[in-house]
Amino acid sequence: MEEAKKNTGIYAADFVKHGMTIGIGTGTTVYWLILELGKRIKQGLNIIAVPTSKETARLANEAGISLLDLNAVDRLSLTIDGADEIDPKGNMIKGGGGALLQEKIVAAASDELIIIADHFKLVPYLGKFPLPVEVIPFGYKQVQKKIIDSGFCEKLWLRKKNDEIFITDHHHYILDCECEKINDPVTLNSTLHLIPGVVETGLFINMANKSVIGLEDGKIEIIKYK
Ligand code: A5P
């Protein structure tokens, strides 16, 4: 699996052209992309990047990638990011690493979104992976009740890390929601957004242009969505 992630991260670096301002996602697959871009920068590639998390900013800095705040940019030509689940239409669940809010804002500011993932991330429908929902800490238990009342998800829990409540880069909490099978991601996304206290959901709908998938045999499959 790690080999497939590495292959796809390295392969995707080819989409990054000299002079581009790009968004860089978060996660264990993007890690390989960052390392590869670092190598190419040493060989003369000139790019600027907007990171999608503090962790990506740290890694990108180490790799020698120049970073910019999203507010200093009009549009990004391209963002490359990972995913936790990808359905056949390219709709995704993201946020396993807790960076969904910044990832969605950066993706929405990009002309193109390329997803890099190993083939285990391809699913016939979304929902086996618990859907992360970023919420304001104040009154989050009210949000929990409303998500359960919506009938879309059977069970949910407050994300913890090392027995402490997980706090996102933007000082929010994450509720991981077990929905099992998401038949209608668009309606679920709108329903969740209508609950006061919800900041963002991990449903990325109709955002990806293509996926670069690392296969078991070392090959790469490219799936285009638009
Ligand atoms: C970060 O919050 C997530 O959205 C990541 O993009 C996703 O979890 C990436 O998964 P990998 O670590 O498996 O690449």
Side-chain angles (χ1 to χ4, degrees), residues 5-58:
K5 289 185 181 199
K6 184 177 176 181
N7 291 343
T8 180
I10 293 173
Y11 185 96
D14 281 353
F15 292 105
V16 181
K17 307 290 181 211
H18 199 71
M20 271 187 169
T21 301
I22 64 161
I24 301 188
T26 298
T28 52
T29 317
V30 165
Y31 166 79
W32 295 107
L33 169 74
I34 295 172
L35 290 194
E36 182 63 21
L37 288 176
K39 277 190 202 158
R40 295 185 187 198
I41 283 167
K42 286 193 184 79
Q43 292 158 6
L45 177 73
N46 185 17
I47 56 162
I48 299 175
V50 173
T52 54
S53 62
K54 287 185 179 157
E55 178 59 8
T56 290
R58 189 185 66 75

Side-chain angles (χ1 to χ4, degrees), residues 5 26-30 81-84 94-100 103 121:
K5 289 185 181 199
T26 298
T28 52
T29 317
V30 165
D81 200 351
D84 298 303
K94 287 178 51 52
L100 62 137
E103 287 176 339
K121 304 289 181 63

Side-chain angles (χ1 to χ4, degrees), residues 36-154:
E36 182 63 21
L37 288 176
K39 277 190 202 158
R40 295 185 187 198
I41 283 167
K42 286 193 184 79
Q43 292 158 6
L45 177 73
N46 185 17
I47 56 162
I48 299 175
V50 173
T52 54
S53 62
K54 287 185 179 157
E55 178 59 8
T56 290
R58 189 185 66 75
L59 289 170
N61 252 322
E62 273 177 21
I65 303 173
S66 309
L67 297 176
L68 214 55
D69 187 275
L70 185 58
N71 286 326
V73 172
D74 180 31
R75 290 284 298 167
L76 297 164
S77 351
L78 168 69
T79 287
I80 303 178
D81 200 351
D84 298 303
E85 277 187 351
I86 311 167
D87 79 5
K89 291 182 180 163
N91 295 327
M92 297 172 284
I93 286 183
K94 287 178 51 52
L100 62 137
L101 174 59
Q102 208 168 313
E103 287 176 339
K104 210 185 251 192
I105 295 171
V106 170
S110 305
D111 294 335
E112 190 178 11
L113 175 62
I114 297 177
I115 298 302
I116 53 176
D118 61 71
H119 62 102
F120 293 108
K121 304 289 181 63
L122 296 177
V123 294
Y125 51 81
L126 302 176
K128 274 246 156 10
F129 189 92
L131 173 67
V133 177
E134 186 155 343
V135 299
I136 300 280
F138 176 80
Y140 77 89
K141 289 189 178 173
Q142 295 297 322
V143 179
Q144 279 184 321
K145 273 196 233 163
K146 289 195 166 60
I147 294 178
I148 293 295
D149 288 350
S150 78
F152 281 101
C153 309
E154 284 154 24

